[in-house]
Amino acid sequence: MAKPVTPQEQDWFYERLRDAKVDVQLFLVNGVKLIGRIDHVDRYTILLSRGSSSQVVYKHAISTVVPPTGFEIGGPDS
């Protein structure tokens, strides 16, 4: 069984994607696919931007985050 992800690891992951300013794919639990750049992250939400539009996504509604192909995630300890 996989080790559960801690809030600190999750925050590190989102902040890494935000700082890299790359487009990510977010899949929501209801099956909707969103594409955009993470501009802001807080305890409960993510601000996702694409072009001139932005939207707030609640973290609990996200099922999967897909970074761009070839993006090196590394780890908080590396």
Side-chain angles (χ1 to χ4, degrees), residues 39-57:
D39 284 340
H40 182 74
V41 179
D42 67 20
R43 187 172 177 187
Y44 299 107
T45 62
I46 292 174
L47 180 64
L48 191 68
S49 297
R50 185 168 189 188
S52 62
S53 63
S54 297
Q55 61 193 110
V56 174
V57 181

Side-chain angles (χ1 to χ4, degrees), residues 5-72:
V5 175
T6 66
Q8 294 82 14
E9 291 170 324
Q10 185 185 77
D11 290 342
W12 177 87
F13 176 71
Y14 286 129
E15 289 169 7
R16 173 98 162 86
L17 291 170
R18 181 198 63 205
D19 294 344
K21 297 182 181 182
V22 295
D23 282 348
V24 298
Q25 296 179 27
L26 296 180
F27 290 90
L28 305 183
V29 294
N30 65 0
V32 172
K33 174 179 159 182
L34 302 172
I35 299 173
R37 188 180 66 235
I38 297 174
D39 284 340
H40 182 74
V41 179
D42 67 20
R43 187 172 177 187
Y44 299 107
T45 62
I46 292 174
L47 180 64
L48 191 68
S49 297
R50 185 168 189 188
S52 62
S53 63
S54 297
Q55 61 193 110
V56 174
V57 181
Y58 285 99
K59 286 181 176 179
H60 72 265
I62 298 172
S63 129
T64 309
V65 178
V66 181
T69 304
F71 184 75
E72 290 291 326

